[in-house]
């Protein structure tokens, strides 16, 4: 079982920045390396893949709407995932969720993940 606790959301004006964090625990030898990342969901919309990283290969995957503005990173030392979000705009307003799993085909597909954080709200105003 993997336990995820995400934090760092808040309110910011358009053009501003926020940094989200996700603390992971409950690793075992079998799932020490996995896909970890962020999804978001706005009211009335489907959950959307934002950014994913594989914790061993360090390969990253970004949603089209955030590429070039958001940067995902992971520290193996303290099992912490981070998402640096720059140049935020109102369309980025959503609940952001940390997610993780070991074997994932289609890393930006939220249906592939078993483990989820509780979510942190990001609100971007004009």
């Amino acid at each position: 079982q993997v336990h995820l606790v995400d934090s760092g959301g808040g309110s910011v004006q358009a053009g501003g920045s926020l940094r989200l964090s996700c603390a992971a625990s409950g690793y075992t030898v079998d799932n020490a390396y996995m896909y970890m990342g962020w999804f978001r969901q706005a009211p009335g919309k489907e959950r959307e893949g934002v950014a994913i990283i594989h914790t061993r290969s360090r390969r990253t995957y970004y949603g089209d709407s955030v590429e070039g503005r958001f940067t995902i990173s992971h520290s193996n030392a303290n099992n912490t995932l981070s998402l640096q979000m720059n140049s935020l705009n109102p369309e980025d307003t959503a609940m952001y969720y940390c997610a993780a799993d070991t074997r994932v085909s289609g890393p930006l597909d939220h249906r592939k993940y078993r483990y989820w954080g509780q979510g942190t709200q990001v609100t971007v105003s004009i």
Side-chain angles (χ1 to χ4, degrees):
Q1 186 74 19
V2 176
H3 184 58
L4 304 172
V5 179
D6 36 29
S7 61
S11 297
V12 66
Q13 288 190 321
S17 298
L18 282 173
R19 186 177 182 88
L20 304 184
S21 294
C22 175
S25 61
Y27 280 19
T28 67
V29 172
D30 290 337
N31 61 20
Y33 294 111
M34 58 178 58
Y35 291 89
M36 294 187 68
W38 299 91
F39 293 81
R40 67 186 183 186
Q41 189 165 19
K45 294 188 176 181
E46 188 173 347
R47 192 164 293 192
E48 173 190 16
V50 175
I52 303 294
I53 187 168
H54 189 269
T55 60
R56 180 173 186 174
S57 70
R58 321 308 283 177
R59 182 172 178 179
T60 58
Y61 307 81
Y62 291 95
D64 291 342
S65 62
V66 307
E67 187 143 26
R69 299 187 297 123
F70 291 11
T71 303
I72 190 170
S73 59
H74 177 263
S75 168
N76 284 325
N78 58 12
N79 294 332
T80 299
L81 184 73
S82 297
L83 183 69
Q84 179 65 41
M85 305 186 294
N86 298 327
S87 302
L88 286 161
N89 58 62
E91 289 71 40
D92 295 316
T93 295
M95 185 70 80
Y96 284 69
Y97 297 92
C98 176
D101 214 319
T102 50
R103 295 179 179 84
V104 175
S105 60
L108 290 171
D109 184 349
H110 65 90
R111 297 168 297 180
K112 307 297 185 180
Y113 292 80
R114 291 174 291 171
Y115 306 114
W116 292 88
Q118 80 282 6
T120 185
Q121 177 68 37
V122 171
T123 302
V124 184
S125 59
I126 297 173

